[in-house]
Amino acid sequence: MVGLALLGYGVVGSGVAELLQKNAAHIEKKAGGKIGLRHILDIRDLSRTPYADLATQDFSQIENDPDVQVIVECIGGVGTALDYVSRALRAGKHVITSNKELVAEHGAELLAMAKERNLNFLFEGSVGGGIPVLRPLAQCLAANQLYEIVGILNGTSNYILTRMLHQSASFDEALREAKSYGYAESNPVDDVSGRDACRKICVLASLASGRHVYPAQVDTEGITQIGGSDMRFAQRNGYRVKLLGRAIFREPAVCNVIYVAPHLVPEDHPLAGVHDVFNAVWIHGDTVGEVMFYGRGAGREPTASAIAADIIDTAKHMTARKWLGWDPSDSRERLSPVELPSVWYVRTAQGGQLTEPMTARKYDAWARTLPKEPEYRMRVL
Ligand code: HSE
């Protein structure tokens, strides 16, 4: 029997508890033993849930329970979650999380703590919801020198862009829907500002390069400035508008450009066909060529699916830990795309147009020569 504690009974946490119960026999078989949920920590009153008996608001009860070997963190953010995860590792407990902010900001230090104590710190659900992508990247593609990773990494913003494309909802309506489906962050500004996608491309780039890439190193732009005319221009000219996280590797395993921004994606690129809450991660490696991982990028069940897989993996590796991680790095290094050439889409009062390929620096100089500065611009992938 592996004893488990769940931190947070929100959208994702409640999905994990339900999945462990619904598929208990199957999970037991896969894990090679029973998974026993012993505590659920939440500041809310859980007396009306099926788990009233397991509810606690006191983390020290979990920390000091010798029968809890694995802690699943579904609180989110980096305040309380960082404190509890650090304490859990110090107490010798394996940790599983889908908290991308925690992993993107503090991954290197938490991975080091886990390594020192021979513990697992797994986070498959932190990128792409239910899409299996971190293990395939770290293991199946391990022999490749990677050129590039490009991802649609935020389900909420992809849902909004899809709804706007079909002109069936305004930005605000689509965001309300995304919230009601449990896709959006507790602060949806993180979704539409690109911050959530930034954290996820950081996790991917860190894993691919073996060195921590921090959100502060990533130029990040969201979807709030995109209007109906941009969507129509894209559609008329054979593109889709997508919020992309992009990491480019110019030397073996060295990420030297990383950013998040909306792009025009040519219709024949596989990322152009990724709609609604779906996410996809497109990877170009020297040996494998191009691969793409696709699936539901947000929501209760898909994320619970990834977390439950980490629980099973941990149960099978209680002593011989799984290695999935990276080393610390200098967070002050600039990884800006300013020298990356692109064709640019430009919106002026006269309408949309595409430029010749040029770097962002050249684009800025060119834009200043126009009679009136463009209202908006996006790279073309
Ligand atoms: N708010 C996130 C999204 C949840 O919309 O993708 C999954 O990380």
Side-chain angles (χ1 to χ4, degrees):
M1 160 85 89
V2 170
L4 195 82
L6 188 56
L7 311 183
Y9 189 76
V11 173
V12 175
S14 62
V16 173
E18 192 181 294
L19 176 57
L20 290 176
Q21 197 164 45
K22 178 168 78 90
N23 289 358
H26 174 76
I27 290 173
E28 180 179 339
K29 212 161 141 195
K30 292 273 181 183
K34 259 196 192 324
I35 308 288
L37 185 53
R38 293 178 57 81
H39 308 275
I40 300 182
L41 178 140
D42 202 295
I43 49 170
R44 289 165 288 206
D45 174 14
L46 304 187
S47 60
R48 285 169 195 277
T49 72
Y51 305 98
D53 292 353
L54 305 182
T56 179
Q57 298 192 342
D58 178 8
F59 182 70
S60 61
Q61 209 184 326
I62 295 171
E63 197 178 23
N64 296 322
D65 181 347
D67 293 326
V68 169
Q69 290 103 27
V70 182
I71 291 186
V72 177
E73 185 275 307
C74 298
I75 299 171
V78 291
T80 310
L82 176 61
D83 177 31
Y84 289 171
V85 165
S86 310
R87 282 166 63 183
L89 291 168
R90 278 198 290 271
K93 303 187 192 296
H94 301 278
V95 173
I96 291 158
T97 182
S98 61
N99 183 340
K100 47 270 161 120
E101 187 176 358
L102 183 73
V103 181
E105 297 284 359
H106 298 280
E109 69 200 61
L110 296 171
L111 283 159
M113 284 176 73
K115 193 174 178 183
E116 269 170 36
R117 293 161 178 84
N118 196 34
L119 295 166
N120 289 293
F121 177 66
L122 297 178
F123 41 89
E124 185 66 57
S126 65
V127 178
I131 308 174
V133 64
L134 301 187
R135 278 178 187 71
L137 173 61
Q139 297 173 356
C140 312
L141 301 177
N144 281 260
Q145 181 187 325
L146 297 184
Y147 298 131
E148 191 168 348
I149 300 177
V150 188
I152 293 175
L153 299 168
N154 182 263
T156 300
S157 51
N158 205 41
Y159 182 84
I160 293 171
L161 292 174
T162 306
R163 296 285 274 127
M164 285 171 72
L165 171 70
H166 298 126
Q167 295 176 334
S168 43
S170 69
F171 188 101
D172 290 339
E173 278 167 341
L175 178 56
R176 257 197 308 278
E177 288 171 14
K179 277 197 227 172
S180 75
Y181 293 137
Y183 301 157
E185 295 300 295
S186 52
N187 177 7
V189 173
D190 284 1
D191 295 293
V192 299
S193 67
R195 270 203 293 272
D196 179 72
C198 163
R199 292 165 185 149
K200 292 164 176 169
I201 194 70
C202 285
V203 174
L204 292 167
S206 302
L207 201 55
S209 65
R211 297 176 70 235
H212 199 130
V213 178
Y214 293 87
Q217 294 175 276
V218 182
D219 286 5
T220 299
E221 188 185 315
I223 61 168
T224 50
Q225 291 184 68
I226 298 168
S229 64
D230 307 318
M231 306 294 274
R232 286 190 291 279
F233 177 91
Q235 202 168 18
R236 272 198 312 272
N237 291 279
Y239 298 97
R240 291 283 177 270
V241 180
K242 296 289 172 197
L243 179 67
L244 302 180
R246 199 169 174 199
I248 299 172
F249 304 83
R250 289 255 166 76
E251 295 162 46
V254 176
C255 172
N256 62 351
V257 173
I258 182 166
Y259 68 100
V260 173
H263 285 69
L264 294 194
V265 179
E267 266 170 6
D268 59 359
H269 192 288
L271 286 167
V274 177
H275 299 305
D276 295 309
V277 72
F278 284 85
N279 282 192
V281 181
W282 177 94
I283 299 177
H284 188 193
D286 65 344
T287 311
V288 72
E290 298 172 22
V291 285
M292 192 166 96
F293 302 91
Y294 169 83
R296 287 187 181 273
R300 187 173 188 258
E301 283 85 9
T303 313
S305 158
I307 290 175
D310 278 350
I311 295 172
I312 292 170
D313 213 2
T314 299
K316 287 160 65 182
H317 295 91
M318 294 298 281
T319 51
R321 70 189 277 277
K322 294 278 288 186
W323 170 244
L324 197 71
W326 52 82
D327 296 324
S329 71
D330 181 357
S331 62
R332 289 164 307 181
E333 200 184 329
R334 290 283 293 153
L335 302 171
S336 146
V338 72
E339 295 301 340
L340 180 72
S342 294
V343 169
W344 296 81
Y345 158 75
V346 182
R347 185 213 311 148
T348 63
Q350 282 69 49
Q353 69 176 87
L354 297 176
T355 69
E356 293 300 310
M358 57 180 124
T359 64
R361 207 185 290 284
K362 282 209 175 121
Y363 169 84
D364 287 340
W366 170 79
R368 280 195 293 271
T369 67
L370 299 177
K372 200 161 169 234
E373 288 240 355
E375 294 167 358
Y376 186 53
R377 49 104 194 94
M378 273 183 265
R379 288 179 190 266
V380 176
L381 183 65

